[in-house]
Amino acid sequence: MTDSAPHIEVMRSQLSRARGLGAGGSGTAHWWAERVTAASLLPLSTWFIVQMFRLGGTDHAEVVKWGGKPVNATMLTALIITTFYHAQLGLQVIVDDYVHGKAHLPTRILVKLVTSLLGLLGVFAVIKLVAAGSRRS
Amino acid sequence: MQDIRKALYVGTRSDGRLIQRPMSPHLQIYRYRLSMVLSISNRLTGVAATGGAALGVFWLAAAAKGPKAFATARKVTGNPAGQLLLVGWLASVVYHTVGGIRHLIWDSGKRYDKEELNKDGPVAVGVTAGVSTVLAAGLLGVAAKRARALAKAGKAS
């Protein structure tokens, strides 16, 4: 081998390059999850808007009856989980872009906590509506 | 070199010579383009849509909690300020959806040329305005009509 042979110094190992998981260790998982949840939200949010046309202005009894139906409860739970998962993914990117230094990690954890808790609140509200529905019938 | 930031802007050229790296111009240097407003709007409406979704979950939780909590929620959804908030949520969701669909199209490698981007931007604004207005008017109209009918039935019985 001569001294003029091309030679590039790369600190990353060949294995790391082959795995393609990058510095974050998760590869394109976050990006894909964002797209898949976005596509799933198209039919789910359309369904929700249609339901709001049926429910707008109604009283409490009607809403409870509506939320207790199995299909509505399923769609609602899917909508809530997908919405807050998507929100978590999106807000995380915003935090990564604009929050630097020591504040970064706490802000990221806060985003995860708040979006998770809101999603759980929605899921348990649906469970309660279903329970109320089965008690009545 | 007095400033640490200047030290961070030192780079090496491919021939090994030390050079001052170029700095990218800041926001107010760029000429105004619709695409840059639409881009940041997708983020802002995403945050707004999350806030709206939080309100939606509170509404659902109020319905699950009982008639009293639901009556409080209805005070919010029934008054003009609350309805303005709901319309804001709706418009944010509509724009974020339009922006999201555009992103999915770009991800598939289509409509990503400069000319196409500049052509689609105003269309996205128009679609958002149209769909939001129709949905908001429809939803508010249906809700008001139903609430009036319910109030009438309540008085009659």
Side-chain angles (χ1 to χ4, degrees):
Chain A
M1 237 209 257
T2 57
D3 282 340
S4 61
H7 154 96
I8 305 163
E9 283 201 25
V10 183
M11 295 295 281
R12 260 177 90 190
S13 75
Q14 297 301 309
L15 177 62
S16 147
R17 284 183 63 182
R19 279 185 177 142
L21 294 179
S26 59
T28 53
H30 185 278
W31 187 90
W32 265 113
E34 212 173 6
R35 313 293 134 159
V36 172
T37 49
S40 314
L41 279 169
L42 291 176
L44 288 172
S45 46
T46 307
W47 170 84
F48 184 71
I49 288 176
V50 171
Q51 296 305 307
M52 284 304 108
F53 270 102
R54 288 177 52 194
L55 279 184
T58 46
D59 54 3
H60 179 245
E62 276 299 309
V63 176
V64 173
K65 208 169 106 190
W66 165 81
K69 286 185 181 149
V71 173
N72 291 341
T74 305
M75 291 297 278
L76 264 179
T77 317
L79 173 67
I80 291 163
I81 293 173
T82 316
T83 297
F84 286 102
Y85 183 29
H86 184 80
Q88 190 176 89
L89 293 166
L91 290 174
Q92 189 194 311
V93 176
I94 297 177
V95 170
D96 288 346
D97 279 356
Y98 303 132
V99 185
H100 305 296
K102 272 193 181 148
H104 180 246
L105 187 62
T107 317
R108 238 176 104 150
I109 292 171
L110 189 74
V111 163
K112 282 236 153 109
L113 261 177
V114 171
T115 48
S116 304
L117 286 178
L118 283 169
L120 278 176
L121 177 65
V123 169
F124 276 104
V126 174
I127 290 174
K128 179 118 192 276
L129 288 174
V130 172
S134 61
R135 202 162 45 237
R136 240 199 343 266
S137 56
Chain B
M1 200 171 293
Q2 266 113 31
D3 196 333
I4 179 85
R5 280 170 298 184
K6 269 193 172 164
L8 292 172
Y9 269 96
V10 173
T12 43
R13 229 162 53 177
S14 53
D15 63 4
R17 231 158 58 105
L18 284 179
I19 49 152
Q20 182 102 34
R21 286 196 292 136
M23 231 185 262
S24 77
H26 213 291
L27 212 55
Q28 62 267 39
I29 304 297
Y30 288 107
R31 184 161 59 99
Y32 165 83
R33 303 261 74 191
L34 181 65
S35 57
M36 64 197 205
V37 177
L38 297 184
S39 169
I40 193 64
S41 296
N42 201 40
R43 277 205 164 167
L44 294 176
T45 53
V47 176
T50 308
L55 289 180
V57 162
F58 288 143
W59 171 79
L60 208 59
K65 192 150 185 261
K68 228 169 140 189
F70 192 73
T72 314
R74 271 192 94 174
K75 264 184 208 146
V76 178
T77 56
N79 83 41
Q83 290 186 339
L84 192 68
L85 210 68
L86 289 177
V87 170
W89 177 25
L90 180 75
S92 297
V93 170
V94 171
Y95 179 71
H96 197 70
T97 304
V98 171
I101 290 170
R102 290 184 79 201
H103 268 283
L104 290 175
I105 294 169
W106 297 335
D107 292 340
S108 70
K110 296 186 181 76
R111 307 294 302 166
Y112 205 50
D113 288 332
K114 199 170 136 195
E115 290 78 27
E116 292 169 334
L117 279 172
N118 288 335
K119 228 184 269 169
D120 294 350
V123 177
V125 175
V127 168
T128 304
V131 172
S132 302
T133 310
V134 168
L135 284 180
L139 280 167
L140 289 180
V142 164
K145 207 175 149 197
R146 201 172 280 134
R148 256 202 312 277
L150 272 175
K152 224 182 204 170
K155 264 181 209 143
S157 61

